[in-house]
Amino acid sequence: MDRSWMNARRISEEYEKGVSVFLQYVKQNAKSVNETYFCPCVRCANQIRQDLGNFHDHLFMFGITKSYTVGTWHGEILDQPMTSRGTNYVEEWMTDHLEDMIRDVGENNFLRANLYDSVINDSEQPLYPGCTNFTHLSATLKLFSLKARNEWMDKSFTKLLELLKEMLPEINTLPIRNYEAKKVLCPMGLEYQKVHACPNDYVLYIKEFASLKRCPTCGLSRFKKKRDKNTEEGNDGAPGKVMWYLPIIPRFKRMFSIKEDAKNLKWNVLGRKCDNLHRHPADSPQWKKIDETFPEFGVNPRNLRLALATNDMNPYENLSSKQVHGQLC
């Protein structure tokens, strides 16, 4: 989107046309709440919603925030990074290296051995007799990739599967519903854990709290109450709230199982240019302090540092340029 009008005088024709085009874009792409949108004027700073009339007036009365160069609050999406060959990396990797992906995941990473066998069978079974371009697994993976990148709803994705099922030869293995497609790809996912939590988010029932039946802070029951009864369910009852946790170590293992990703993860040690200029977080005092405090950790290039990011979040309820976007842990 052309942003040159933002620097024009507010009484100029260029600014007026720019506002008009921007408002039309907002109306077509931004998500509204009761027909109101976040106003990017200097006073509202994308913190207050206005209807399009006030939205228009504010841009002329107060001017638009000059640093708002990407309309993330109004439906604008940054282009996906491209590889040197000009195609999306994830799409290319899935297409050419599906067998490598299954091998890299490995049988040990599946909760049950039969899941591994199921994935192998799906990766070898043709989509229909005589099909050489797609297997049961690769076709499902491709379609799910399109669903994710284009943010299709489950219902619309099911409709697409039903239509494709009718278009293909009568004997084909394409899933007919979104739920069935998920079951095909489920074994490829990373392991997860379900952790009981206080409905008011005060505590997780793990470690020293694992045996508690009530929250030690708010006193609320860990379990739901049975319908039409005041008694609480026992230990086998439904928990009041559950947190889904994805253990981080298996995720790291998966990242290092791919050769190209493993090389990129160690780039700060093996490929970074060291010239006393601040080009990378590894040049920062925080990074160097970690290496000095924990020398055994810092000497191994495979050890990863974690950072907290607050991108697209406003923990201090403002959009100041002084806001910290990340902190090394």
Side-chain angles (χ1 to χ4, degrees), residues 178-214:
N178 176 69
Y179 174 73
E180 294 178 0
K182 280 186 176 180
K183 287 180 64 177
V184 173
L185 300 181
C186 183
M188 296 299 297
L190 292 167
E191 65 181 83
Y192 63 87
Q193 299 174 6
K194 293 182 180 180
V195 181
H196 292 188
C198 168
N200 290 326
D201 300 325
Y202 282 114
V203 68
L204 295 175
Y205 291 101
I206 57 176
K207 296 183 179 180
E208 65 269 25
F209 305 114
S211 61
L212 297 183
K213 295 183 179 181
R214 288 186 174 275

Side-chain angles (χ1 to χ4, degrees), residues 146-158:
L146 286 173
K147 177 185 185 296
R149 287 190 285 114
N150 294 282
E151 300 181 358
W152 293 344
M153 297 177 63
D154 291 351
K155 185 176 181 180
S156 63
F157 186 59
T158 294

